[in-house]
Amino acid sequence: MRKKDYTGQKFGQLTVTGFDDDAKKWICKCTCGNTVLYTSKQLQANKPKSCGCLRRKNLVGEKFGRLTVLKLL
């Protein structure tokens, strides 16, 4: 049984959209569009800030020889 409902709350770039009863984790939607699962303990500690996209370096516009990065997939 869950003690606290996190639905609708924001944690960094994440918004909690619901709870997955099978996984016993909260479903979180990132501003980049990805969906990830986090436990209540992780949310209580306010640890997650994104789906992991903040750790990736944005290379859009960078040139590598004759190649130019156009978009992030």
Side-chain angles (χ1 to χ4, degrees), residues 19-36:
F19 189 78
D20 184 335
D21 288 316
D22 294 334
K24 305 269 189 275
K25 294 183 179 184
W26 291 96
I27 304 164
C28 302
K29 179 91 172 180
C30 187
T31 56
C32 74
N34 287 335
T35 302
V36 289

Side-chain angles (χ1 to χ4, degrees), residues 2 4 6 19 24 26 38-45:
R2 298 184 307 263
K4 184 173 180 177
Y6 290 102
F19 189 78
K24 305 269 189 275
W26 291 96
Y38 284 109
T39 64
S40 294
K41 187 178 270 190
Q42 289 170 313
L43 294 177
Q44 287 169 356

Side-chain angles (χ1 to χ4, degrees), residues 45-65:
N46 202 22
K47 292 208 178 210
K49 302 292 183 208
S50 73
C51 66
C53 64
L54 292 178
R55 286 182 260 157
R56 286 186 233 130
K57 184 178 177 186
N58 185 359
L59 298 175
V60 175
E62 300 247 354
K63 293 185 180 257
F64 297 92

Side-chain angles (χ1 to χ4, degrees), residues 10-22:
K10 293 187 90 60
F11 296 89
Q13 294 193 15
L14 299 171
T15 302
V16 181
T17 59
F19 189 78
D20 184 335
D21 288 316
D22 294 334

